[in-house]
Amino acid sequence: MPRVKYIENDVNLMARMMRAEAEGEGNQGMLYVGNVIVNRAVADCLDFQDVRTINDVIYQVQGGNYSFEAVQKGNLFYQRARESEKRLARQNLERWRQHPAKYSLWYFNPFGPCPPTWYGQPFTGQFKNHCFYEPVAGTCDSVYS
């Protein structure tokens, strides 16, 4: 059973976002971004209470801006998804989860070292240029299922 219900359009959308956000970090980096996307779709907490589909996650607006910068600025996001990226997206949608993004709801690419917290959320690890953060224990149990 997949971690979140999806259709082929979701696979394409997610694959495009994974590439736009982490192509320079290889397949592993793209899978970590995919973890965050799927985690947001299953999380029923914090900023993600009304986000249930991949489309909702990708096009979510917070503070007047899209949550994923690539929606506004990413020329890679607006290119067609490649089969290799679609395979990675399906892996995330079906089952693939791994540290440091296993339970992460956020990531970002800082200009320096990863801070120990980001907006009060604990740092779980870094992969290449991205720092990953998961919810404070007890604030979002749905992401751990």
Side-chain angles (χ1 to χ4, degrees):
M1 175 190 279
R3 292 191 57 223
V4 64
K5 274 177 68 170
Y6 66 93
I7 59 174
E8 194 60 25
N9 205 36
D10 296 324
V11 173
N12 288 317
L13 183 61
M14 189 167 151
R16 290 175 23 224
M17 182 56 70
M18 291 164 67
R19 177 181 178 195
E21 291 284 317
E23 180 180 43
E25 298 187 357
N27 289 350
Q28 191 79 12
M30 287 190 279
L31 283 166
Y32 290 142
V33 167
N35 271 170
V36 171
I37 293 168
V38 174
N39 288 345
R40 287 181 178 191
V42 299
D44 190 18
C45 60
L46 306 167
D47 296 332
F48 312 105
Q49 291 179 353
D50 296 321
V51 179
R52 290 291 161 265
T53 68
I54 298 304
N55 192 72
D56 290 346
V57 172
I58 301 297
Y59 293 109
Q60 182 184 25
V61 174
Q62 294 177 302
N65 294 306
Y66 288 104
S67 296
F68 292 99
E69 197 173 88
V71 175
Q72 289 174 190
K73 301 178 183 176
N75 61 355
L76 282 178
F77 177 66
Y78 291 101
Q79 294 179 10
R80 197 169 49 114
R82 298 181 288 203
E83 283 306 313
S84 59
E85 293 140 6
K86 289 190 228 179
R87 250 189 328 275
L88 296 173
R90 283 188 194 92
Q91 280 182 260
N92 282 124
L93 289 160
E94 289 292 333
R95 70 193 174 286
W96 196 93
R97 294 170 94 173
Q98 198 171 80
H99 179 78
K102 187 172 186 175
Y103 304 116
S104 294
L105 292 175
W106 306 275
Y107 65 87
F108 81 110
N109 183 348
F111 292 106
C114 297
T117 61
W118 192 52
Y119 293 101
Q121 308 304 320
F123 172 66
T124 58
Q126 180 174 358
F127 183 76
K128 295 191 179 182
N129 293 324
H130 284 101
C131 305
F132 292 89
Y133 297 83
E134 65 184 47
V136 172
T139 62
C140 191
D141 292 339
S142 56
V143 81
Y144 297 102
S145 59

